[in-house]
Structures are given as C-alpha cells and as structure tokens.
Amino acid sequence: MSNGGDANAAKNSSEMTLQECLDECMEALDLFLNNHFNESLERLRPRVKDSMYHALIYATVLEMQAMMTFQHEDISNAGNTMKSAQEVCQRFRKKATGLANKSESSEVQLHAEACYAECQLQRAALTFLQDESMVSFIKGGIKVRNSYLIYKELHSFIKSHNCLKGPSHVHLEGGICFGVGAFNLTLSLFPPRILRVLEFAGFSGDKEYGLSLLHDGATGINLRSMLCALLLLCYYTFLTFILGTGEGEVAEAERLLKPFQLRYPRGAIFLFFAGRTEEIKGNIDEAVALFEDGCKAQQTWKQFHHMCYWELMWCFTYKRAWKMAYFYADLLSQESRWSKAMYVYMKAAYLSMLPKDEAKPFGEDEVELFRQVPTLKQKIAGKSPPTEKFAIRKARRYKAASPVRLPVPVLEMMYMWNGFNMIRKRPELTEGMMQTLVEAERTLLESPENQYTVDDRCVIYMLKGLCLKNQGVLQAAEEYFNRVCSSEKKIKFDHYLVPNSLVELGLLYIDQGRREEAIKILRKVKRNYEDYSMESRTLFRVHAALAKLKADPGEEDDANL
C-alpha cells in the first residue's frame, strides 16, 4: 500500500513541479515582453540546470534577443545556451523511442520530447541566421529534419486514442503546434535542391497548414502562444520580403499585433513590428514615429535600438532624406557590431548621393569611407554575410587613385533589401527615385566610357524598370529589364544583374497573368546562373514566385541542378 502511495505522491509532485515550472516561465516571458529583459532572465536563471522549461525559455529569450538584434555574439551565446538546454531536456526523455512506447510515457517525458525537439528547431533557426550560404542552410536543415521526426511522432500520438491528457496538456499541445507549424512554414520556403540534399525529396512543407497551426498556437493561452505570434510576425513582415516576392501580409500582421499591443502598449518588440507594418503599407512618417517610440520604450538592451535605427535608415532613404539616413548609418557604425562594413558602405553611399557643393556631415569623404569597407570584413562561422560581401565587391573600385564613382549605390542596396516594394503604394516616393535615376543616367552619359560603364548602365536600367513597374507602366518596365538581359555578355562585374532582372521580369509576367512565360523565365534563372552575388537570396525568391504560381518547382530543369 505504502509503495503505491509513494508512487502517487511522486507522480503528484512531478505534475505540480511541471505546472509550477510552466507558470514561472509564463511570468518570465511576460516580463520579457514588458521590456523587463534582465528581470526575465533572473527569474529563469536559478533553475536552468534542473528544469527543462526554464532551460528552454531562458535560451529562447536569448534567441529572441539574437533574432531581433542580429548581433553575432548574441547569436553565438544563444546557440551555446540552446545546446545546454537540449542536454537538460535529454535527461527527462524516455530512454526507449518509438510511437509504440509513447502511451507508456509520463506527462513529464512527453513534455521533454517536445522541449528537446524545440531546442533542435531553434538551433536550426540560429544556424540560418548566421549566414545565408547553402552550407549553412543544409546544416540547419538537418537539425530541422531531426526535430520534425520527433514532432511528427508526438503529433500522431496526441491525436490518437492512447493519449491521456494531463493537467499541462494545453502547453504540450501548444509546443507541438509551434513545432509542426514552424517546420511546415520553414520547409515551404526551401528551394528543391536543398530539400533533396536533406533527403526531403518530394516534400516541400505545407505553408498554409503551417500558418494555420501557428495561428492556433498564437491565439491560445499557452507557453508557446507568444513564440507562435513572433514567428508569424517575422514571417509576414520580414521573410516574405527577404526570401519571398515582397508581398507582406500586412492585414494578418496587424490582426496578430492588436491583442499584444493592448496587453503590452510600451513593449519594444511590438512597437517595432507595428512600425514595420506601417513601413510596408508605405506610411513612412507613422513608421518613423513608432520606431522612435521603440527606442524610447526601453534602455536596457541597446541592441533593440539598432533594429529601429536600421529601419529608420531605410525610412529616410525612401524619402531621399540622405543626411538623415546617413545619421542612422553613422549611429549603427558606432554602436552595432552586426556589420561594420555594411554600415560604413551605407555612410559612403549616402554621402555620394549629396550634391557636390553641399557640405558633408562631419567633414567625412565618401572615397575614404568606401576604401575602408574591405578592411572591415568579418567572418561568422567561417563566412562573411552575403550583404557584406556584396558591399565589399561594390566598394573595390574605389581602390584606384582616381576611382569611378558608383552611380546609385543607395538605390542598388535598397533593391537588395526589396525596398522598391515598400514604396509601391506611394507614387511620389517612386517618382523621387525615378528622378534620382534619371539624373544618374544623365551623369553617366556625360562621362567618358570606362570598364564599369556597361555595368553601371545596367544597374540604372534594372532600377528604372522597378520604378516603372511601381508606376504601372509595365511595357516600359519590361523593356528595361530586357535591356539588362541583352547586355549579359558585356557585363564584367555585376553578374547578379541578369538573373535578378529575369526574376523581376518573371514577377512582372505574373502581374500580367502571363503564367507560362513567368514559369519558363524563373526556371531559366535556376538552370542557367550560379556564383553571383546574393545567389541564395535570389533562389529563395524564385522558389517563392514558383510556389505562388503553384508550379512544380522540381520539374524539368531542377533535375539538372
């Protein structure tokens, strides 16, 4: 009798401990989202060695910091902490594996499985964040695959009749929603060549199913609801631009944000995402006000300010307020360590946009700044970030004693961050960019020809095509993209221009309902071009465009890759 009583007492104790852990972690996340970042970590820290949820959420808070700040040391620290959390989770897992044994697992062991899988998934996200190279995506993808196998098994089990719902089942279900949802959404973004390397041939993830599960998780009351919401906000306001066709789901982002803004009106994270949604809508002044509020809302983690500075820099770029944009690039170059080369490049780029007779801020000279860019190169996981590599390549021409100026370096980098999509709802902003391009083209025509002339002309052609597309002058836009493509054999340095002009042509065809032509041209980009700047980002955009057309991205040409 006493043995049975002891067993029940142990069971009750275990359940109480699990529930207490979950409650305390909910409180810690609440502190985090109210800008009490250090208090949140202090609440979690004492139990990170003996509680799987404390270990996981502690590492998750660090990962949120890394995701929002893009600071390399934050990414590295979060990765190491997440690895330690995974080891804590391992101690609570059932030794035997397989679905047949799940019905014999305790509630704690089932939670341990979900937490272990989440650690792997979040470690994969950090791998992707470190750089955009194919090797990095493959390494991260392997972690995703291992994680998915656990989630798949858990998902089948909780849907079966064998699953007895414990007191903390809502949190277990939330964790599985987060995992299966994140997996499907992530894999839907991957081009087929990567899926095949990961032995995911024929499986691309179901984006709509993933989004649906994440929405279920975000709107429920469980430990993962905030994580589901943040992942969705990142997807709607960033990933669709950086790795997609630049069509942010603003309405969805606003719907998600509303309850969190009511609960955390001064929450820096939600002010930032609110600013980003206004920016996507083309409401630049409103976005600026929200990003400034985000900076004022907290002073503990200055890195959050850097996220806002980066967006403020682009907001003033869209308005062609070059000196204000320069001011934020300068702040970033002094305070942020994400990419000194990128910030100094942008400072030089903004100075180069000013009229020759206009006083330069702080007396700095763009030629000297451009010359500094290659010396500021850094490596993360043995590689430089692709955007930094691009900036260094573009700055190389300034090594010469009498360098040939870059015609529109700000607008070119703006394209790399899909900025022309940001201003498409604001005709006056597009018109301003077109004026800048017309002036740059005139200057180019008046200058003696040199080795960069064809490349510089093609940069202007591609960007004019984007402006004309924004203005609805589609035939002229198509002509400009075709001009770039017809100059392919004459381009000496900027080999990214032809594949990207083809992508823009494909997207233009989609807008015109020319589906078959769009598919053909997008597949041509995959089949015929490689080893150019920002290649993986371009391939992700191609994949997103083909997915939008519901074209099989693996047909025909993919077999030749």
Side-chain angles (χ1 to χ4, degrees):
M1 243 350 238
S2 62
N3 285 346
D6 289 345
N8 286 334
K11 185 182 175 189
N12 291 337
S13 168
S14 170
E15 285 171 356
M16 185 182 67
T17 304
L18 179 63
Q19 190 59 52
E20 282 180 350
C21 288
L22 286 161
D23 290 344
E24 192 164 46
C25 289
M26 288 281 278
E27 288 168 17
L29 268 183
D30 199 58
L31 285 167
F32 177 82
L33 295 173
N34 262 318
N35 305 329
H36 302 301
F37 307 124
N38 292 339
E39 294 94 323
S40 170
L41 291 169
E42 282 162 18
R43 179 73 62 92
L44 294 162
R45 193 178 288 117
R47 302 194 67 182
V48 294
K49 301 286 186 202
D50 53 51
S51 160
M52 59 183 157
Y53 274 111
H54 283 72
L56 172 62
I57 301 303
Y58 184 79
T60 299
V61 170
L62 293 185
E63 178 158 351
M64 281 186 198
Q65 183 187 17
M67 289 282 188
M68 296 293 174
T69 64
F70 286 80
Q71 291 279 356
H72 296 319
E73 63 187 43
D74 288 345
I75 294 169
S76 177
N77 185 29
N80 292 333
T81 310
M82 194 62 75
K83 189 177 179 184
S84 299
Q86 190 174 318
E87 289 162 4
V88 173
C89 296
Q90 176 64 34
R91 296 206 307 268
F92 290 92
R93 294 175 77 198
K94 190 174 177 67
K95 296 298 177 271
T97 57
L99 186 59
N101 296 304
K102 286 284 181 285
S103 56
E104 299 166 18
S105 299
S106 67
E107 188 179 21
V108 169
Q109 287 169 335
L110 289 171
H111 279 260
E113 286 293 308
C115 289
Y116 183 88
E118 189 169 324
C119 287
Q120 283 205 312
L121 193 64
Q122 295 205 45
R123 285 179 70 198
L126 286 166
T127 305
F128 299 145
L129 194 62
Q130 284 183 320
D131 74 89
E132 295 173 25
S133 71
M134 287 297 174
V135 172
S136 183
F137 280 115
I138 288 164
K139 281 181 182 174
I142 290 166
K143 291 188 181 80
V144 171
R145 186 172 186 272
N146 293 340
S147 172
Y148 170 67
L149 295 174
I150 297 171
Y151 277 125
K152 188 179 177 185
E153 206 171 77
L154 282 169
H155 196 237
S156 298
F157 177 68
I158 66 166
K159 297 292 180 191
S160 73
H161 298 301
N162 297 328
C163 179
L164 298 173
K165 297 181 180 180
S168 305
H169 185 78
V170 65
H171 295 286
L172 177 64
E173 201 165 31
I176 295 167
C177 254
F178 174 70
V180 178
F183 170 82
N184 274 278
L185 179 59
T186 304
L187 265 290
S188 73
L189 302 174
F190 275 46
R193 67 165 73 175
I194 302 178
L195 294 176
R196 197 165 52 250
V197 171
L198 301 177
E199 297 176 17
F200 275 121
F203 183 76
S204 56
D206 184 332
K207 185 179 82 171
E208 296 308 320
Y209 181 55
L211 290 172
S212 166
L213 284 174
L214 289 168
H215 272 281
D216 288 348
T219 51
I221 300 171
N222 65 80
L223 187 62
R224 271 58 165 230
S225 60
M226 296 167 201
L227 300 181
C228 290
L230 291 176
L231 179 54
L232 285 168
L233 288 168
C234 282
Y235 172 74
Y236 289 136
T237 65
F238 281 99
L239 290 179
T240 52
F241 280 85
I242 297 168
L243 302 180
T245 54
E247 295 160 340
E249 296 281 350
V250 179
E252 290 295 338
E254 288 182 318
R255 241 192 311 276
L256 269 173
L257 269 171
K258 195 171 182 180
F260 288 100
Q261 284 178 293
L262 290 171
R263 188 170 175 184
Y264 308 103
R266 300 299 298 157
I269 292 173
F270 299 113
L271 285 168
F272 174 78
F273 279 115
R276 181 74 183 172
T277 56
E278 291 300 329
E279 192 181 346
I280 292 167
K281 284 156 68 177
N283 299 332
I284 307 302
D285 292 338
E286 290 84 347
V288 166
L290 284 160
F291 292 133
E292 287 174 346
D293 281 351
C295 291
K296 293 171 193 166
Q298 62 83 36
Q299 301 299 318
T300 309
W301 277 3
K302 287 285 186 182
Q303 296 96 325
F304 274 116
H305 292 187
H306 302 158
M307 289 189 328
C308 295
Y309 294 166
W310 177 257
E311 294 302 323
L312 285 162
M313 180 186 85
W314 288 115
C315 285
F316 286 110
T317 299
Y318 305 144
K319 291 161 72 79
R320 296 195 303 160
W322 309 129
K323 282 188 176 178
M324 282 300 294
Y326 166 91
F327 169 75
Y328 284 106
D330 186 54
L331 271 179
L332 286 164
S333 73
Q334 292 177 49
E335 295 183 17
S336 171
R337 282 165 290 179
W338 171 60
S339 175
K340 294 274 186 195
M342 170 63 80
Y343 302 141
V344 172
Y345 179 85
M346 292 311 294
K347 281 176 63 176
Y350 290 121
L351 291 181
S352 76
M353 304 300 287
L354 297 174
K356 286 183 181 178
D357 56 351
E358 193 167 328
K360 303 292 170 78
F362 308 117
E364 288 193 294
D365 175 63
E366 67 259 33
V367 173
E368 288 308 312
L369 288 172
F370 276 126
R371 285 173 179 164
Q372 285 178 33
V373 172
T375 69
L376 299 168
K377 184 178 181 178
Q378 62 179 337
K379 289 197 171 185
I380 297 108
K383 293 188 173 291
S384 298
T387 45
E388 186 170 283
K389 281 185 188 171
F390 181 77
I392 289 166
R393 281 186 192 131
K394 296 299 295 186
R396 276 181 192 151
R397 66 167 73 179
Y398 286 87
K399 284 182 183 176
S402 300
V404 177
R405 293 177 72 250
L406 289 164
V408 281
V410 171
L411 275 63
E412 191 176 13
M413 191 61 81
M414 177 175 147
Y415 170 71
M416 286 301 175
W417 292 92
N418 225 333
F420 284 86
N421 263 316
M422 293 289 198
I423 60 171
R424 65 185 166 188
K425 293 175 184 171
R426 293 288 300 279
E428 74 280 14
L429 297 181
T430 294
E431 181 55 38
M433 291 299 168
M434 183 60 102
Q435 286 173 19
T436 298
L437 289 164
V438 168
E439 288 162 18
E441 192 171 30
R442 188 183 304 120
T443 302
L444 202 59
L445 286 168
E446 291 167 358
S447 305
E449 291 223 357
N450 57 68
Q451 62 180 328
Y452 299 107
T453 300
V454 174
D455 294 59
D456 289 349
R457 199 175 288 150
C458 286
V459 167
I460 291 170
Y461 288 163
M462 185 178 78
L463 300 180
K464 282 181 84 172
L466 289 162
C467 288
L468 288 162
K469 182 184 169 189
N470 277 4
Q471 293 172 329
V473 190
L474 302 187
Q475 189 176 340
E478 184 176 346
E479 285 170 13
Y480 272 107
F481 295 139
N482 279 321
R483 280 194 201 182
V484 178
C485 299
S486 63
S487 303
E488 181 171 357
K489 290 182 180 174
K490 297 177 186 174
I491 290 172
K492 294 180 181 177
F493 306 100
D494 295 323
H495 300 293
Y496 82 92
L497 286 168
V498 173
N500 277 275
S501 292
L502 287 168
V503 171
E504 297 307 330
L505 208 47
L507 295 174
L508 183 69
Y509 290 163
I510 292 172
D511 290 347
Q512 293 177 312
R514 295 157 69 180
R515 183 179 182 274
E516 294 308 315
E517 288 174 88
I519 291 171
K520 186 178 177 183
I521 211 161
L522 291 165
R523 287 185 177 149
K524 180 181 176 181
V525 175
K526 290 168 59 181
R527 184 176 63 242
N528 293 357
Y529 298 92
E530 60 183 3
D531 300 327
Y532 53 89
S533 294
M534 310 289 284
E535 180 183 357
S536 51
R537 195 173 286 194
T538 302
L539 290 175
F540 271 78
R541 292 186 71 213
V542 168
H543 176 67
L546 287 169
K548 183 179 175 183
L549 289 166
K550 295 186 167 49
D552 181 357
E555 277 178 28
E556 299 170 13
D557 55 88
D558 207 54
N560 301 320
L561 290 172

